[in-house]
Amino acid sequence: MYFHKIIGIIYLGIIAVYGAGIERVDDMDLIHILTGEGDVVALFTRGNCAECEKYENVVDKIQDEVKQSLGASVVQAHDSNLIHIYDPSREPALLYFRRGIPILYHGAINDEEIIQFFSDNREPAVKELSDDNFEHLTQASTGATTGDWFVFFYSAECVLCQRLYAVWESVGGSLKRKINVARMNSLGAGVSTANRLKVAEAPGFIFLRQGKIYRYSSKEYTPKAFIEFAEGGYIKNSHPEMVPKPSSFMDELSFGQVMDYINSQGTLPLAFIGTFIVVFLLLIIKCLFKTSSKKTVNKKDK
């Protein structure tokens, strides 16, 4: 009798371990988890979705390995409204949040490939560029000895841009050993570069190779489409343009900018400039007066 009880306890234990599945969380719980300090692997699913079930089975199978190898918790968000933030293509979507920075998995529904992809991308791969470091890092106008660059121009006001952050990290993670993948705020720290490269709207994507620009004009915003473009698709899907030379400070300086600066500093700069102009005019008048006096003296001597 005791033997049957022991067998029953073991059986229940096995069911508890293997039948528990992935922990499901609602949106409030997910936000709380994602804003914490730990890394998280989150599977977004919906009802009546065969592919979602395949993902669920595979992630359930590897969740212990994910916890051990990545130190990340594993959760499932079913019918979550948050999916709109991380993947424009919607469910199923498997994301790995590294201290809050998401990367979207885009490979086959295979346990080994998922583990390998996340293990290779424990750190963010996308570089942040600005007007201050763009030319130094990319050397875009001189032939790019630092390699090819694929740059995503975004803005804080662009909702679609925010949804593409995880997608772009996926692109960066897949290409990081071959191509530099970066992003740039076209209305903030990268506004001058965006104007120089004629990036008129966000999101905007340009591929820089050997002193030339190739523009990604497709509206297919998936890791697969971006990667195919960078790995050769740019040749047939884009016309090369020469990278404009960086503009100098004086090229970018305008009268309006000068006046804006003066106005922002109050009346002191105006007083200083006014004094300088008056002194400068007095010196000119004095010089002219001396010249005129010398001519008069010379005439009298004659």
Side-chain angles (χ1 to χ4, degrees):
M1 186 169 179
Y2 288 107
F3 177 76
H4 290 297
K5 287 184 178 180
I6 293 172
I7 294 296
I9 292 171
I10 293 173
Y11 178 73
L12 291 173
I14 292 173
I15 292 176
V17 171
Y18 292 98
I22 309 168
E23 178 188 359
R24 284 200 177 189
V25 295
D26 59 24
D27 286 354
M28 290 299 295
D29 289 335
L30 183 57
I31 291 172
H32 178 73
I33 293 169
L34 296 180
T35 53
E37 295 182 357
D39 293 347
V40 182
V41 171
L43 173 62
F44 291 84
T45 58
R46 67 176 188 273
N48 299 318
C49 170
E51 194 173 13
C52 295
E53 293 178 4
K54 291 179 182 178
Y55 261 108
E56 187 173 353
N57 291 332
V58 171
V59 174
D60 184 21
K61 176 183 174 183
I62 65 172
Q63 63 175 322
D64 288 338
E65 186 175 353
V66 168
K67 293 173 183 176
Q68 292 174 7
S69 61
L70 301 179
S73 57
V74 181
V75 297
Q76 180 179 0
H78 191 72
D79 290 331
S80 171
N81 292 318
L82 298 179
I83 186 60
H84 301 288
I85 301 175
Y86 304 114
D87 184 8
S89 61
R90 301 203 59 184
E91 304 95 338
L94 183 61
L95 291 110
Y96 176 25
F97 293 85
R98 303 141 308 166
R99 296 176 298 283
I101 300 175
I103 182 170
L104 175 69
Y105 176 75
H106 67 277
I109 309 175
N110 177 278
D111 53 351
E112 293 182 359
E113 289 190 27
I114 292 172
I115 291 291
Q116 185 64 49
F117 183 76
F118 287 162
S119 297
D120 285 345
N121 291 285
R122 299 185 69 172
E123 297 295 330
V126 175
K127 303 173 179 65
E128 187 75 26
L129 297 176
S130 68
D131 291 333
D132 293 334
N133 64 16
F134 178 83
E135 193 61 35
H136 173 71
L137 292 178
T138 67
Q139 299 181 17
S141 62
T142 59
T145 57
T146 57
D148 300 338
W149 287 77
F150 202 2
V151 185
F152 163 31
F153 285 85
Y154 68 94
S155 71
E157 294 79 10
C158 171
V159 176
L160 178 56
C161 295
Q162 297 172 26
R163 295 175 180 173
L164 290 174
Y165 290 164
V167 172
W168 200 242
E169 273 290 338
S170 184
V171 176
S174 300
L175 297 175
K176 64 183 177 182
R177 294 179 180 87
K178 297 179 285 185
I179 295 170
N180 299 290
V181 178
R183 66 177 197 166
M184 201 168 192
N185 190 336
S186 61
L187 296 180
V191 62
S192 294
T193 303
N195 291 334
R196 169 189 160 201
L197 302 182
K198 296 181 174 60
V199 179
E201 60 182 5
F205 305 90
I206 61 169
F207 184 65
L208 300 169
R209 176 176 170 80
Q210 297 178 350
K212 294 183 176 64
I213 298 174
Y214 298 86
R215 301 184 188 276
Y216 183 88
S217 57
S218 171
K219 298 302 180 184
E220 186 178 354
Y221 299 139
T222 64
K224 183 175 182 291
F226 285 126
I227 292 168
E228 288 178 352
F229 182 84
E231 290 184 329
Y234 63 89
I235 297 173
K236 61 179 180 180
N237 295 317
S238 179
H239 298 290
E241 307 168 26
M242 295 302 297
V243 176
K245 296 293 182 183
S247 56
S248 66
F249 173 75
M250 293 306 296
D251 291 334
E252 296 185 358
L253 190 64
S254 66
F255 178 76
Q257 289 175 315
V258 173
M259 293 307 299
D260 288 342
Y261 174 77
I262 291 172
N263 291 333
S264 68
Q265 299 300 312
T267 58
L268 184 61
L270 285 173
F272 175 79
I273 292 172
T275 303
F276 175 79
I277 292 173
V278 170
V279 171
F280 183 71
L281 290 174
L282 288 173
L283 288 173
I284 291 175
I285 293 170
K286 186 176 181 180
C287 290
L288 291 173
F289 180 76
K290 283 185 176 180
T291 303
S292 177
S293 299
K294 286 182 179 179
K295 287 181 179 179
T296 303
V297 171
N298 290 335
K299 286 181 180 179
K300 287 181 178 180
D301 291 340
K302 290 179 180 179

